[in-house]
Amino acid sequence: GAGVSQSPRYKVAKRGQDVALRCDPISGHVSLFWYQQALGQGPEFLTYFQNEAQLDKSGLPSDRFFAERPEGSVSTLKIQRTQQEDSAVYLCASSLEEGTRSPYFGPGTRLTVT
Amino acid sequence: GQNIDQPTEMTATEGAIVQINCTYQTSGFNGLFWYQQHAGEAPTFLSYNVLDGLEEKGRFSSFLSRSKGYSYLLLKELQMKDSASYLCAVRDDTGRRALTFGSGTRLQVQP
């Protein structure tokens, strides 16, 4: 496809379970971002990759959150020992190199922790 | 720190014009973005301002005043499909690539 894709689109996890969320960026896009969007709020930055290098992880809320992009394309956001406050939509976005004005967002994964 | 404020909700009539305001206080400035987000969907890019003034793109226009830390999104000839959330986002000048978003303005267009 031409856009950013994410899977699964919906995930229900029981508290304490681990989850893995996948992002397929637009082919050739160097930059990749993860954002967390709570209901009724704007997206909040989690982490940023340039190719396979994680250059900014200042937004990750705790050490239960881990992201990787080992080959500089697909990325996975992993949340260990999920808690109810982790319930949110997780958005992935990608963009070309420096100079691109706006990243392209994927449809998101809605995570519900019960 | 960064702080971005925009109204929570607005209502307007089909065919009318609506202006959604955004004020920001950030550690430096390197561009302001507006996105449209329909419920359950990804944010889609509407406009980008980095210099003062008005950027026009069809029915949508965006204005920026850097000295006032202020922007607005103007939507003309409103259509029912314009009912959505509108997000204001700012990029700072620290070299950090992340965007800081406001909470969004939920616009309801009525017949």
Side-chain angles (χ1 to χ4, degrees), chain A residues 7-8 11 19-23 34 75-79 90 109:
Chain A
S7 60
K11 176 70 179 177
V19 298
L21 312 180
R22 177 187 169 106
C23 172
W34 283 99
S75 177
T76 303
L77 176 67
K78 297 179 180 178
I79 309 173
Y90 291 85
T109 294

Side-chain angles (χ1 to χ4, degrees), chain B residues 26-93:
Chain B
T26 59
S27 304
F29 178 83
N30 192 24
L32 186 142
F33 300 77
W34 283 97
Y35 291 86
Q36 180 191 61
Q37 187 176 30
H38 286 99
E41 298 183 11
T44 54
F45 171 73
L46 291 178
S47 69
Y48 170 72
N49 296 72
V50 67
L51 299 176
D52 291 351
L54 188 68
E55 294 279 342
E56 296 186 82
K57 191 187 296 185
R59 294 190 300 114
F60 294 77
S61 303
S62 58
F63 171 83
L64 175 68
S65 169
R66 289 172 296 170
S67 62
K68 295 181 180 178
Y70 167 70
S71 173
Y72 66 72
L73 179 69
L74 195 70
L75 291 75
K76 304 175 187 175
E77 301 169 15
L78 280 172
Q79 303 174 10
M80 298 298 290
K81 67 178 182 179
D82 296 330
S83 294
S85 285
Y86 291 85
L87 299 165
C88 173
V90 173
R91 176 179 288 152
D92 64 35
D93 66 355

